[in-house]
Amino acid sequence: MGTMPRTARYAAHILLAALALTGCSSPAPPPAAGSASPSATPPPSPVQVCTSLVSYWAKETLLGTKWSGLDWEQKGLSNDQYAIHEDAVAAGRAEERTAGRDKALELIDRIVAQRCADEGGAMRSSENWRPPT
C-alpha cells in the first residue's frame, strides 16, 4: 500500500487541525425552553462525591473487574475514603457468601452512603501517610 506522499500528509494534517478548531469554536446550542442553564446546576456535595466514588470502586473490587486492582491514589480516594472502601468491601464479601452478590452490592451502597454522610465526605486526608497504629 505504501505511505502518503509528504504533501498529502501535510494537507491531511492541516485539514484535521482546521476541522478540530472549527468543532471546538462553535457555540453551544441554546438551552431548551424551560430548562435550567448549566451554571444553575449546583456542583455535587462532598458527601455525594464520596458516596459515588467509594461505592463505585468498592463494587468494582467485589466484582473483581479489570481496574479493581488499582491502588487508592489511582482510584482518586483520600485515606479516609479508602478506609470506608475497605470496610465496605469486607462487609460486601461476607454478605456475598451468605446472601449473594446482589445483596452484597446493595449492602456496599448502604454502608458507603452512611459512612460518607457521617464523615462529611471523608475528604480530609489525601496524603500518602498514615499515623502509626
Side-chain angles (χ1 to χ4, degrees):
M1 289 201 154
T3 60
M4 271 195 271
R6 185 176 171 160
T7 54
R9 279 196 315 261
Y10 181 74
H13 288 283
I14 296 297
L15 177 61
L16 287 173
L19 289 173
L21 290 174
T22 302
C24 293
S25 65
S26 63
S35 68
S37 68
S39 61
T41 304
S45 72
V47 172
Q48 290 169 321
V49 171
C50 175
T51 301
S52 176
L53 186 63
V54 176
S55 182
Y56 172 81
W57 283 116
K59 290 189 276 187
E60 290 292 299
T61 300
L62 183 79
L63 298 171
T65 63
K66 177 180 178 182
W67 300 109
S68 64
L70 297 175
D71 69 26
W72 63 276
E73 288 177 306
Q74 292 168 317
K75 292 176 181 177
L77 303 175
S78 70
N79 286 339
D80 295 334
Q81 290 168 345
Y82 183 66
I84 295 169
H85 172 276
E86 289 297 287
D87 292 344
V89 170
R93 285 184 174 143
E95 183 75 4
E96 184 177 33
R97 286 190 293 276
T98 59
R101 180 165 282 172
D102 289 340
K103 294 293 182 187
L105 296 172
E106 291 172 15
L107 178 63
I108 285 173
D109 282 337
R110 285 195 311 273
I111 289 171
V112 169
Q114 184 63 51
R115 292 274 305 274
C116 285
D118 291 348
E119 297 182 32
M123 297 178 144
R124 287 173 293 284
S125 175
S126 294
E127 296 177 14
N128 194 10
W129 177 84
R130 291 181 187 230
T133 55

